Structure formats: structure tokens, C-alpha cells
């Protein structure tokens, strides 16, 4: 983040990484490295957008399954796809025809992010069942069925979501006031704030969730954990807040994907049929 922040303060531009690569790469291999870097960044952001929308769709299914009798048994894997499509279509329409509200969605989701953090931590700390420090820290039991090495690496995908996407602000650089100052600050503050909140939330959940075994079969365990601790009514009141925040994240991610796609097309790297 500090490396990208430095480069973002020197050259704030929508293409970001591939422009910086072009600026810094050796003359002889500059074109090839820049081309490769641009496609990697573009595909990574498209993949992250798919990850955000699938996470939202998956958690929405979890809420439905907990509240609609019989749905958990009738649920099919293909149900995820139309929910994702609906999410991406609606956020795409917002970005295309009502983009002025996207910054307000981001602001509202940021405020809700902090407020819900306080509420969730308070509920877990006040009502949860305490686990020992031995369970939280030295215990290395793998409940997934995978060996410890594989389980550890798969498990690292989850805390990565506490930091991912901080470079999205780079791709909005050409629409940001005082971008040379605002863009690097946003990246560094994202790492510091979200990293701290994610660590605290993870520790609170681990210490206060009680026995882990009832939640192993759940696809989105925060919902049954919260229901077990605070009750169904409290969960139905607060968990939708997570869904709303995630929807705003998808809308913001789509904005970043749109800008890097536009920059990639502007610079002649995207095939003409799509660039048009």
C-alpha cells in the first residue's frame, strides 16, 4: 500500500499499475511487461468483483435459509448465479445512469461499517459464550477435513478480504479532487482502519462464539452464530446491514472496474470490438 501510495502521489491516473510499470520498467522489455501487467490488473479486478457479488449472493441465501422454512433443503447450487446476475445488473445500472449516488453509497456504507462494528462487538462481548485463549491462539485443529497446511492457506483467503481493494481508489484518480494527496491517504488509511477493525472482530468472534462444531455445516456461519448469541429477531435486524454494506461495495468495485476497463481501452490495449 505504501509503494502504491507513493506512485499514486506521483502519477494519479485511472490505469494506475500499468502506467507506473510503463514509467519504471526497463526500456527493452517495457512494452511486454506493461501489457502483461495491465491484463493482470484488469482480470484481478474483474475477479474481485465476481468475489464480492458471490459473497453477497451467498450471504443473502444464508439469511433466506435461516428464515424461510424448507429453503435450506430445497436450495440448489445454481440459485447463486441468478442472484449474482441481479446484483451486477442493478449495480451496473446505478453506475451507468445514476453515478452521482455512488459516492453517497460509499459514504453511507463507510458510516454503517463503523456503526455495525461497534454494535456487533458489543453484542458478542455482552452475550457470547467465552472461549479460552488456548482455543483462539495456540490451538491448530483443522475442522475442514483438510490437512493443516492446506487449511491454513485456504483460511488466509478470509482475512485477505479485510485488506483487499485498497488500490481501487487509484482507478478513480482522474475524478478525485487533490488526487495527489487524497489517493495515497485513502490507501494507507484503508489498511490501518480495516486491518484494525478486522483483527478486533476476528478476536471477538473467536473468543465469544462458543462451541464451533454447530456452525461447521453453515455456508455463511456469521448468521447462525449471531442468531445463537443474540436471537433470531436481533439477527434479522442487524445482519441485513451487512448485506447493504456489501451491496455498496459491489457498486463501488464496479466503478473501479469500469474505470480501469475504460483506461485500458483508451490506451489501445483492449480489443477494438470491446473498446468501442
Amino acid at each position: 500500500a505504501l509503494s502504491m501510495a507513493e506512485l499514486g502521489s506521483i502519477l494519479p491516473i485511472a490505469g494506475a499499475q500499468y502506467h507506473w510499470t510503463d514509467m519504471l520498467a526497463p526500456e527493452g522489455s517495457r512494452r511486454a511487461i506493461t501489457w502483461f501487467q495491465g491484463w493482470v490488473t484488469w482480470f484481478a479486478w474483474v475477479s474481485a468483483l465476481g468475489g464480492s457479488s458471490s459473497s453477497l449472493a451467498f450471504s443473502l441465501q444464508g439469511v433466506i435459509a435461516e428464515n424461510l422454512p424448507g429453503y435450506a433443503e430445497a436450495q440448489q447450487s445454481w440459485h447463486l448465479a441468478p442472484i449474482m446476475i441481479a446484483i451486477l445488473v442493478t449495480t451496473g445500472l446505478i453506475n451507468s445512469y445514476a453515478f452521482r449516488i455512488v459516492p453517497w453509497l460509499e459514504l453511507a456504507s463507510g458510516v454503517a461499517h463503523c456503526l455495525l462494528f461497534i454494535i456487533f462487538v458489543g453484542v458478542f462481548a455482552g452475550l457470547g459464550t467465552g472461549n479460552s485463549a488456548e482455543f483462539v491462539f495456540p490451538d491448530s485443529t483443522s475442522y475442514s477435513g483438510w490437512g493443516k497446511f492446506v487449511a491454513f492457506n485456504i483460511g488466509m483467503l478470509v482475512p485477505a478480504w479485510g485488506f483487499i481493494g485498497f488500490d481501487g481508489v487509484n482507478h478513480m484518480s482522474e475524478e478525485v479532487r487533490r488526487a495527489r494527496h487524497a489517493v495515497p491517504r485513502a490507501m494507507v488509511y484503508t489498511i490501518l482502519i480495516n486491518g484494525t477493525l478486522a483483527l478486533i472482530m476476528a478476536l471477538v468472534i473467536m473468543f465469544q462464539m462458543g462451541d464451533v462444531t454447530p456452525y461447521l455445516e453453515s455456508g455463511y456461519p456469521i448468521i447462525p452464530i449471531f442468531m445463537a448469541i443474540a436471537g433470531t429477531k436481533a439477527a434479522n435486524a442487524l445482519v441485513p446491514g451487512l448485506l447493504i454494506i456489501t451491496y455498496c461495495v459491489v457498486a463501488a468495485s464496479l466503478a473501479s472496474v469500469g474505470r480501469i476497463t475504460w483506461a485500458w481501452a483508451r490506451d489501445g490495449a483492449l480489443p477494438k470490438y470491446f473498446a468501442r
Side-chain angles (χ1 to χ4, degrees):
L2 288 171
S3 297
M4 285 193 184
E6 182 179 12
L7 291 166
S9 69
I10 297 169
L11 180 62
I13 193 167
Q17 289 95 319
Y18 73 81
H19 275 285
W20 303 334
T21 303
D22 182 68
M23 183 174 67
L24 298 171
E27 185 67 38
S29 54
R30 178 175 297 169
R31 184 184 294 269
I33 296 174
T34 301
W35 183 87
F36 182 75
Q37 212 297 314
W39 278 110
V40 167
T41 301
W42 180 83
F43 189 76
W45 263 100
V46 171
S47 301
L49 180 61
S52 298
S53 57
S54 66
S55 174
L56 175 55
F58 203 55
S59 56
L60 182 59
Q61 279 189 309
V63 173
I64 295 171
E66 292 291 341
N67 289 276
L68 186 64
Y71 179 70
E73 292 75 21
Q75 183 175 335
Q76 300 293 323
S77 57
W78 63 265
H79 290 178
L80 194 71
I83 299 174
M84 287 178 62
I85 292 169
I87 292 166
L88 291 170
V89 167
T90 54
T91 52
L93 291 173
I94 290 171
N95 271 274
S96 298
Y97 300 107
F99 184 73
R100 289 183 179 181
I101 72 170
V102 172
W104 294 102
L105 289 177
E106 294 179 355
L107 178 62
S109 65
V111 173
H113 180 52
C114 296
L115 291 177
L116 281 176
F117 169 81
I118 295 171
I119 294 170
F120 270 69
V121 168
V123 170
F124 273 97
L127 302 177
T129 303
N131 287 320
S132 66
E134 287 73 20
F135 169 78
V136 176
F137 294 109
D139 183 12
S140 59
T141 304
S142 172
Y143 296 94
S144 63
W146 293 99
K148 291 180 180 179
F149 177 78
V150 175
F152 174 82
N153 283 281
I154 293 174
M156 285 300 290
L157 292 171
V158 180
W161 281 99
F163 302 96
I164 196 170
F166 65 86
D167 64 308
V169 67
N170 282 313
H171 307 305
M172 308 298 293
S173 292
E174 295 176 40
E175 301 163 65
V176 174
R177 288 192 296 270
R178 299 181 69 245
R180 291 180 187 274
H181 297 89
V183 167
R185 286 175 182 167
M187 280 191 283
V188 174
Y189 288 158
T190 293
I191 294 294
L192 294 176
I193 294 172
N194 277 333
T196 302
L197 297 184
L199 177 61
I200 295 171
M201 180 61 77
L203 290 174
V204 169
I205 291 175
M206 291 288 285
F207 271 111
Q208 299 298 113
M209 69 186 295
D211 183 16
V212 70
T213 50
Y215 312 119
L216 295 179
E217 298 300 320
S218 174
Y220 196 71
I222 189 65
I223 299 172
I225 291 173
F226 200 82
M227 284 184 169
I229 291 174
T232 302
K233 289 184 178 180
N236 286 334
L238 292 174
V239 170
L242 301 179
L243 305 183
I244 294 170
I245 291 172
T246 311
Y247 185 85
C248 295
V249 168
V250 175
S253 297
L254 193 64
S256 292
V257 171
R259 296 314 182 275
I260 191 172
T261 304
W262 166 76
W264 203 220
R266 176 184 63 180
D267 294 328
L270 204 65
K272 289 183 178 179
Y273 178 81
F274 297 106
R276 188 183 308 115

